[in-house]
Amino acid sequence: MPKRLGLVIDLDRCTGCGACQAACRLENNIPPERPALPGVVGAPFERPVRASDWLVLRSVRNAKPFPDADRAFVPVMCQHCDKPPCVAVCPVGATGKSSETGVVYQVYARCIGCRACLAACPYGAKVFNWSEPVWPGRTGLALTPFASARGKGVAEKCDLCVRLEHREHLFEPACARACPSRAMVFGDLDDPESRAGKLAAGPLAFRLEPAVRGDGSRSAANLGPRVVYVSRRAWLKDWAENGGM
């Protein structure tokens, strides 16, 4: 039976430690940030090149003075929309949506680097490899054989570690597994008995609203993101639902 797999993130539990981001890098063979080479004109890395992170940890403040000042950390990745605009614009079928799990996936061998999917994604969740990955020192020895190492000219993004289903009994993304505060809950959002399903249907749940919605076709209500956030803080929910992205 098809599932509607998704991720529920409790922002009141998230401490911004970055364990989820580190686990994502290791599990998905994401190269580290490359330092700049100062004073070398024409060097490959004249400016620092950021890691092509699939998961970005955002810091959000409520812009109030002490003692009402508050801060939250928001993990943002591919939202795995029910109606993903990136799938609709890909000319070669390199981006698709699983009929069994609902996860939006990438087929890197098909990608031609046109970057239409990057332009279509209202969440900015996709990254493009402008250069070949570099693994300093012996870090290349840590590459996992369960994920491909993408080369230059390829668009990539979070796939909720769907390949883990084939090698482990516990189908849980690396980010959720690494979270020390258990802020991330993975499961079938349509299963009313699952913890993920209960949290997603609860009164504290909300979705990220894209900053640019156009004619409304890019609104969260129309896209149906499967990454759901939970918080008791009203200002944080207002931020997310009023174009926080």
Side-chain angles (χ1 to χ4, degrees):
M1 181 177 179
K3 296 181 179 180
R4 187 167 175 262
L5 296 180
L7 192 65
V8 181
I9 305 176
D10 189 338
L11 300 181
D12 295 339
R13 284 175 172 258
C14 179
T15 63
C17 69
C20 55
Q21 193 174 46
C24 178
R25 288 182 180 181
L26 288 172
E27 183 61 47
N28 296 292
N29 291 335
I30 298 176
E33 180 176 333
R34 290 173 289 178
L37 299 179
V40 182
V41 179
F45 315 135
E46 290 185 55
R47 293 180 297 175
V49 179
R50 294 185 60 83
S52 301
D53 285 315
W54 293 2
L55 186 157
V56 178
L57 198 59
R58 296 193 59 180
S59 175
V60 183
R61 300 177 186 270
N62 65 349
K64 291 186 177 182
F66 180 84
D68 298 319
D70 195 10
R71 182 183 185 183
F73 296 96
V74 184
V76 180
M77 69 288 285
C78 172
Q79 302 291 294
H80 295 277
C81 305
D82 286 330
K83 299 178 181 178
C86 58
V87 173
V89 300
C90 182
V92 293
T95 301
K97 185 175 178 64
S98 171
S99 59
E100 296 181 357
T101 64
V103 172
V104 179
Y105 61 82
Q106 289 282 119
V107 181
Y108 301 112
R110 293 180 183 174
C111 183
I112 58 175
C114 68
R115 305 189 297 283
C117 57
L118 274 78
C121 178
Y123 293 103
K126 288 199 171 187
V127 294
F128 185 75
N129 293 333
W130 293 97
S131 59
E132 294 293 340
V134 176
W135 305 93
R138 298 170 61 86
T139 56
L141 299 178
L143 295 181
T144 172
F146 299 104
S148 61
R150 288 77 54 193
K152 179 180 179 180
V154 174
E156 56 184 72
K157 68 169 196 70
C158 161
D159 57 10
L160 288 179
C161 298
V162 290
R163 62 195 170 279
L164 295 183
E165 183 180 27
H166 305 294
R167 81 173 200 260
E168 297 185 20
H169 296 294
L170 181 61
F171 181 13
E172 189 176 23
C175 56
R177 187 179 310 177
C179 181
S181 60
R182 306 306 296 167
M184 295 182 171
V185 180
F186 179 76
D188 187 354
L189 301 184
D190 284 343
D191 182 0
E193 300 302 320
S194 69
R195 186 174 174 223
K198 291 179 180 178
L199 288 172
L204 302 179
F206 54 90
R207 272 77 170 173
L208 283 182
E209 189 72 54
V212 180
R213 280 160 270 181
D215 58 357
S217 61
R218 290 191 173 191
S219 66
N222 185 64
L223 296 174
R226 295 191 184 187
V227 176
V228 183
Y229 297 89
V230 175
S231 178
R232 295 181 180 274
R233 290 174 281 185
W235 72 265
L236 191 53
K237 182 177 181 180
D238 290 341
W239 169 84
E241 294 182 341
N242 288 280
M245 288 302 299

